[in-house]
Amino acid sequence: MHNEHTFIIFDSKFNSLKLVKRMKPLVVKILLIFPLVCFAFYFLMALIGCIARIFRCGTDFYCGSFCLIGKILGAAGIILLFFSILPDIKAFLNIQQHASPEKDQKH
C-alpha cells in the first residue's frame, strides 16, 4: 500500500505534479484560513468596541484594556494560523529533505 505522506524520490523524469499535489493543502489553508482569522479578529474587535461604547467606556479603556484584548486576540489568531499549517509545512520540508536527484547509473 502506497502512503502519500512519505517522500518523493526524484528520477530523470521528475513529475512536478506530485510536488504540487503536496503543496495544495498548504496553499488552500493559507488562502482560506488566513482571511478567516483576519475577519474574525476584525469582527471581534469591532464587537468589543461597540459593546464598550454602549457601556460608555472612556479613553482609558481604549488605550489600555482594548489594546490588550487586541494583542491577545491577534496573538491567538497568529498561533492558530501557524499551528493549522504546521503539519503541511513539516510534510513539505520532509519531502524536500528526502528527495534528491538520483545519480545516473549505467547498468
Side-chain angles (χ1 to χ4, degrees), residues 41-57:
F41 174 74
Y42 177 79
F43 182 75
L44 285 173
M45 291 305 293
L47 186 65
I48 292 168
C50 290
I51 291 171
R53 184 68 181 156
I54 290 170
F55 289 115
R56 299 176 192 229
C57 295

Side-chain angles (χ1 to χ4, degrees), residues 61-87:
F61 172 77
Y62 289 106
C63 291
S65 302
F66 188 74
C67 289
L68 183 62
I69 292 169
K71 290 176 186 176
I72 291 170
L73 287 176
I78 290 170
I79 290 170
L80 172 72
L81 178 67
F82 177 72
F83 281 112
S84 69
I85 64 173
L86 185 63

Side-chain angles (χ1 to χ4, degrees), residues 17-30:
L17 187 60
K18 289 181 182 179
L19 187 59
V20 171
K21 284 183 181 180
R22 298 291 296 157
M23 287 293 297
K24 191 174 181 180
L26 177 63
V27 172
V28 169
K29 282 183 181 178
I30 289 174

Side-chain angles (χ1 to χ4, degrees), residues 90-105:
K90 284 183 177 180
F92 178 73
L93 293 177
N94 192 24
I95 289 171
Q96 294 296 331
Q97 184 180 29
H98 292 295
S100 60
E102 291 182 4
K103 295 182 180 178
D104 291 334
Q105 297 177 355

